[in-house]
Amino acid sequence: MVHKVNLIPVALTIATIVLISFVIASVRDDPASVEGQVVSFDQTSLTTFSSLRIEDDSGKQWIFIGSNAFTGFTPSHLEEHRTLRETITVEYEKSATGELNILSLSD
């Protein structure tokens, strides 16, 4: 038989962990995003690229550099967007060194 007295500290510990997790998730910054047209990219293989430059509606150019090749879009798909001047959306985070790291790409 389990004693109710022993369950109270366990329940309080679980509630505390849930509350701390919620606070951390609420405070954490969501990734930033920008929409623009592809200006250029550095292709590393047929299926990957390592950097991307886009221009937003205001004319500002954004350079995204990853520590690894990003495979969310193929270079040929990026070239199609560049040629047709179709916009893409880049979700990114800023690293401690100031580089903009790509998290995801979408049409």
Side-chain angles (χ1 to χ4, degrees):
M1 179 173 173
V2 177
H3 292 65
K4 290 183 180 180
V5 176
N6 291 337
L7 292 178
I8 293 173
V10 172
L12 287 174
T13 301
I14 291 172
T16 302
I17 291 170
V18 169
L19 181 61
I20 291 171
S21 298
F22 178 74
V23 169
I24 290 171
S26 298
V27 173
R28 192 188 88 225
D29 290 335
D30 287 332
S33 66
V34 63
E35 185 176 296
Q37 295 180 346
V38 176
V39 174
S40 63
F41 56 93
D42 291 325
Q43 183 172 343
T44 53
S45 74
L46 288 175
T47 58
T48 60
F49 61 94
S50 60
S51 68
L52 169 66
R53 180 187 300 254
I54 69 169
E55 185 174 312
D56 66 17
D57 288 339
S58 70
K60 179 180 177 181
Q61 291 199 359
W62 300 74
I63 301 171
F64 301 94
I65 299 174
S67 57
N68 297 316
F70 180 76
T71 58
F73 269 28
T74 61
S76 62
H77 190 75
L78 283 175
E79 183 60 31
E80 178 182 343
H81 277 273
R82 190 186 69 76
T83 302
L84 298 175
R85 301 192 53 80
E86 296 175 341
T87 60
I88 63 169
T89 301
V90 180
E91 189 174 281
Y92 67 93
E93 64 183 3
K94 192 172 189 175
S95 72
T97 61
E99 292 180 333
L100 304 180
N101 295 316
I102 299 170
L103 299 175
S104 69
L105 295 171
S106 59
D107 291 314

